[in-house]
Amino acid sequence: MLLSEFFYGLLSRDQSRLLGDGAFRAISELNLEPDNRLEFLLQGYDEAWNALNSLQMLPSLTMKLQVSELLMAWFGILSCVQAEFFTSVGHMTDLIYAEKDLVQSLKEYILVEEAKLAKIKSWASKMEALTSKSAADPEGYVAHPVNAYKLVKRLNTDWPALENLVLQDSAAGFIANLSVQRQFFPTDEDESGAAKALMRLQDTYKLDPGMISRGELPGTKYQAVLSVDDCFGMGRSAYNEGDYYHTVLWMEQVLKQLDAGEEATVAKSEVLDYLSYAVFQLGDLHRALELTRRLVSLDPSHERAGGNLRYFERLLEEERRNPLSNQTEASLAAQEGVYDRPLDYLPEREVYESLCRGEGVKLTPRRQKRLFCRYHHGNRAPELLIAPFKEEDEWDSPHIVRYYDVMSDEEIERVKELAKPKLARATVRDPKTGVLTVASYRVSKSSWLEEDDDPVVARVNRRMQYITGLTVKTAEMLQVANYGMGGQYEPHFDFSRRPFDSGLKTEGNRLATFLNYNHERDAFKRLGTGNRVATFLNYMSDVEAGGATVFPDLGAALWPKKGTAVFWYNLLRSGEGDYRTRHAACPVLVGCKWVSNKWFHERGQEFLRPCGSTEVD
């Protein structure tokens, strides 16, 4: 049994790192016995390396380095989960290396094919010259005994050899590599998720499809454009989700690019088929009829166009007979071919997205005068007396502060290195069942690091304790998150909501809060550490565009700055939730966003943050 076959058997569809056949080939050359193979793969990195050295199977330093790199990749494979690449830019980088490996494999196949074809061409030229001479005088040619012998030999030996050469399958290596890699390729879910991400960015940052198609995004380093077929794929993804608003926008972009003369595999009639039905679903009967007529003129034999045309004409005739009863608000609004974006489940959608764009921030001059910066020594904590942290007020009430130079570049890279193999799709807790589940409003991957995982984690934990003056003994593990394409976390609370007390005097629409969360379970009851009293959020990367942390109720927007951290209390001193801290992570427009956070809990903070005298302190 080949080691590559054995190793491949250990992998499941739930593992997302990618291997080329070059990796399989390299490890196969080690000729490990079956018992040693399992040890080689499942031992820790250091033990496996020592085992390899003891077996004296690595004759050169170069080979040792190659195997070292392979080991790092393989242990990543053993601990990662597959699919949902779109939820983490960090994991999407693996696809770059997979594609590079496939290109190299394809080039090797082309070279082999070209060499084979060159041999066949040479043989054909040689035979053409020979047969033109022999066919001119067949009897005279074979009268020479050498020619007669060579003719027999060619037909008995040489032509069958050529047949074997032609039938030789030089694509086997490439196909094998592609087949292995395909097991870990993005899925239909990934493609749909990536399309939704682009549409999310389109809506949040008010980008029209033309801008996205031309790649005109702020902060981009690379030029990237969408072809006609790419735009059609966007429209079709929206159509398959029943999202007719975005279907119309993207199919219209397809028509624009087709009319501009761009080449495409998709036919205009197919685009008109999708577009006509989508505008009909949006209530624009007149335009649906017009587009269907265009479709029939382009393709009179289209299987649906004729039936749709008659149906639309009948509806239009009914509308003319009863103009007031049949003309809906949607059809009136859509008469000029401009359609409103449908409302969704998030009541503060408009406020949230405007803050993400940097609009509507309520940082008035009066409020700004109450914001200061200072050196922070954590209530004269001995560890911070000599080297206090720079602290800057981001908001006055509730008090939100930013600390500078909290994590060094080296610490950030180490935390990312520890977290990446453990990254898995971030989950949310179902408010009614308490069960963790994935959700479309949280698009990222996260992992949890324990203090014992690495000295850097322990050092960062202690630093957060010194800065906040809160104990980390009852805090949650350090969560590390990497946001994917259009990565976001829509408005949410960090603390567990309890049934609303109508007697509590606070600002805002508390009726909505009561209706949404009246039946929510106490998410942290089983921990025995109380509710999440505070959030400490480390920004571990700069983001070229987008990715702000916003507070819709406050009108506040905080932008990521690598090495800084923001801190706020989720609970009032009474232990009641501060509903003003409802916040969101805006979609990442351009860049790769890494954050880590520590959630402090109530238990253990009784004397570090004493209760207030009223329930709203």
Side-chain angles (χ1 to χ4, degrees), residues 196-235:
K196 288 178 184 177
L198 273 181
M199 295 175 208
R200 186 184 310 122
L201 296 175
Q202 174 185 348
D203 295 336
T204 304
Y205 298 104
K206 291 190 174 180
L207 307 171
D208 65 71
M211 292 176 64
I212 297 175
S213 177
R214 294 187 298 272
E216 295 175 356
L217 303 178
T220 52
K221 292 192 296 184
Y222 302 100
Q223 185 66 30
V225 297
L226 293 177
S227 67
V228 174
D229 294 314
D230 293 332
C231 293
F232 179 75
M234 290 287 296

Side-chain angles (χ1 to χ4, degrees), residues 428-587:
V428 296
R429 194 174 297 278
D430 187 292
K432 292 186 178 180
T433 65
V435 175
L436 291 174
T437 182
V438 298
S440 60
Y441 56 83
R442 188 178 191 185
V443 182
S444 64
K445 284 187 176 180
S446 61
S447 62
W448 299 85
L449 300 182
E450 298 187 59
E451 188 155 310
D452 295 337
D453 286 344
D454 193 271
V456 168
V457 178
R459 188 161 66 243
V460 170
N461 282 345
R462 286 196 302 271
R463 190 174 300 147
M464 289 186 284
Q465 178 171 280
Y466 298 151
I467 291 173
T468 62
L470 302 174
T471 179
V472 295
K473 290 181 180 179
T474 56
E476 295 176 45
M477 291 185 290
L478 185 69
Q479 181 183 230
V480 182
N482 177 226
Y483 290 81
M485 279 191 64
Q488 63 162 1
Y489 192 177
E490 288 181 354
H492 61 283
F493 299 101
D494 280 351
F495 61 90
S496 176
R497 274 75 64 193
R498 299 163 183 161
F500 177 67
D501 178 2
S502 59
L504 183 62
K505 297 178 181 179
T506 57
E507 297 177 353
N509 183 357
R510 291 301 143 235
L511 177 62
T513 301
F514 175 74
L515 292 176
N516 282 329
Y517 303 111
N518 187 37
H519 300 294
E520 180 172 323
R521 296 187 177 186
D522 186 346
F524 309 117
K525 186 175 182 179
R526 63 180 179 80
L527 297 179
T529 54
N531 213 340
R532 287 174 174 169
V533 66
T535 297
F536 195 101
L537 177 64
N538 296 296
Y539 292 117
M540 302 201 304
S541 66
D542 292 313
V543 179
E544 285 82 348
T549 304
V550 299
F551 294 75
D553 284 0
L554 304 177
L558 314 179
W559 302 96
K561 296 178 185 177
K562 185 178 181 181
T564 69
V566 292
F567 174 78
W568 67 87
Y569 283 103
N570 297 304
L571 305 182
L572 302 169
R573 285 187 177 271
S574 63
E576 293 292 339
D578 189 341
Y579 286 87
R580 298 171 300 171
T581 61
R582 182 169 167 85
H583 61 285
C586 293

Side-chain angles (χ1 to χ4, degrees), residues 30-50:
L30 297 177
N31 296 319
L32 292 173
E33 292 299 321
D35 290 340
N36 287 335
R37 294 168 188 168
L38 183 60
E39 182 182 4
F40 180 81
L41 291 168
L42 300 181
Q43 276 183 321
Y45 176 79
D46 291 332
E47 287 98 342
W49 179 252
N50 292 334

Side-chain angles (χ1 to χ4, degrees), residues 278-297:
V279 298
F280 170 68
Q281 289 293 325
L282 292 177
D284 194 347
L285 182 56
H286 291 78
R287 191 166 178 226
L289 180 60
E290 173 203 338
L291 291 167
T292 306
R293 284 172 176 162
R294 285 177 63 186
L295 171 56
V296 171
S297 67

Side-chain angles (χ1 to χ4, degrees), residues 84-88 92 95 186-202 212 226 230 233-234 237-238 241 250 425 443 484-487 588:
E84 298 180 330
F85 284 99
F86 72 95
T87 63
S88 167
M92 286 187 74
L95 299 178
T187 61
D188 290 342
E189 180 190 357
D190 281 298
E191 185 173 349
S192 174
K196 288 178 184 177
L198 273 181
M199 295 175 208
R200 186 184 310 122
L201 296 175
Q202 174 185 348
I212 297 175
L226 293 177
D230 293 332
M234 290 287 296
S237 291
E241 294 289 328
W250 282 100
R425 177 74 186 266
V443 182
M485 279 191 64
V588 177

Side-chain angles (χ1 to χ4, degrees), residues 200-488:
R200 186 184 310 122
L201 296 175
Q202 174 185 348
D203 295 336
T204 304
Y205 298 104
K206 291 190 174 180
L207 307 171
D208 65 71
M211 292 176 64
I212 297 175
S213 177
R214 294 187 298 272
E216 295 175 356
L217 303 178
T220 52
K221 292 192 296 184
Y222 302 100
Q223 185 66 30
V225 297
L226 293 177
S227 67
V228 174
D229 294 314
D230 293 332
C231 293
F232 179 75
M234 290 287 296
R236 186 171 55 192
S237 291
Y239 181 89
N240 291 337
E241 294 289 328
D243 179 1
Y244 301 113
Y245 170 75
H246 287 105
T247 302
V248 170
L249 293 178
W250 282 100
M251 291 302 175
E252 287 176 340
Q253 180 62 29
V254 173
L255 290 179
K256 287 179 184 177
Q257 292 182 218
L258 284 173
D259 291 340
E262 287 189 32
E263 294 184 1
T265 58
V266 62
K268 185 177 285 189
S269 58
E270 190 175 0
V271 181
L272 290 170
D273 187 21
Y274 279 96
L275 184 56
S276 61
Y277 185 76
V279 298
F280 170 68
Q281 289 293 325
L282 292 177
D284 194 347
L285 182 56
H286 291 78
R287 191 166 178 226
L289 180 60
E290 173 203 338
L291 291 167
T292 306
R293 284 172 176 162
R294 285 177 63 186
L295 171 56
V296 171
S297 67
L298 281 175
D299 185 2
S301 62
H302 194 281
E303 60 179 350
R304 288 182 301 277
N308 288 349
L309 183 61
R310 290 187 293 274
Y311 177 65
F312 294 155
E313 286 174 339
R314 186 170 69 253
L315 288 179
L316 192 59
E317 184 59 33
E318 291 176 3
E319 185 180 285
R320 285 170 181 158
R321 286 199 299 266
N322 305 290
L324 295 178
S325 61
N326 285 292
Q327 206 163 22
T328 63
E329 288 185 17
S331 61
L332 288 169
Q335 284 182 355
E336 296 183 2
V338 178
Y339 310 100
D340 291 329
R341 179 180 166 196
L343 298 176
D344 65 5
Y345 56 86
L346 192 63
E348 67 256 66
R349 172 74 63 190
E350 189 175 337
V351 174
Y352 158 55
E353 291 184 349
S354 66
L355 286 171
C356 290
R357 296 190 297 271
E359 303 167 4
V361 177
K362 298 177 182 177
L363 190 59
T364 61
R366 182 179 178 183
R367 167 167 278 126
Q368 205 161 7
K369 288 179 181 178
R370 297 199 290 266
L371 306 182
F372 300 93
C373 55
R374 64 191 73 79
Y375 281 104
H376 175 75
H377 52 69
N379 295 321
R380 301 191 66 80
E383 296 81 5
L384 302 186
L385 284 176
I386 296 177
F389 282 92
K390 289 176 280 187
E391 180 186 75
E392 179 182 35
D393 294 330
E394 289 280 2
W395 209 257
D396 58 340
S397 180
H399 195 204
I400 305 172
V401 296
R402 185 189 295 263
Y403 298 102
Y404 287 82
D405 303 320
V406 174
M407 293 180 70
S408 67
D409 288 348
E410 293 76 15
E411 288 172 331
I412 288 172
E413 290 308 310
R414 181 57 181 158
V415 169
K416 286 163 62 175
E417 182 183 345
L418 293 168
K420 190 173 180 182
K422 301 179 181 181
L423 288 176
R425 177 74 186 266
T427 56
V428 296
R429 194 174 297 278
D430 187 292
K432 292 186 178 180
T433 65
V435 175
L436 291 174
T437 182
V438 298
S440 60
Y441 56 83
R442 188 178 191 185
V443 182
S444 64
K445 284 187 176 180
S446 61
S447 62
W448 299 85
L449 300 182
E450 298 187 59
E451 188 155 310
D452 295 337
D453 286 344
D454 193 271
V456 168
V457 178
R459 188 161 66 243
V460 170
N461 282 345
R462 286 196 302 271
R463 190 174 300 147
M464 289 186 284
Q465 178 171 280
Y466 298 151
I467 291 173
T468 62
L470 302 174
T471 179
V472 295
K473 290 181 180 179
T474 56
E476 295 176 45
M477 291 185 290
L478 185 69
Q479 181 183 230
V480 182
N482 177 226
Y483 290 81
M485 279 191 64
Q488 63 162 1

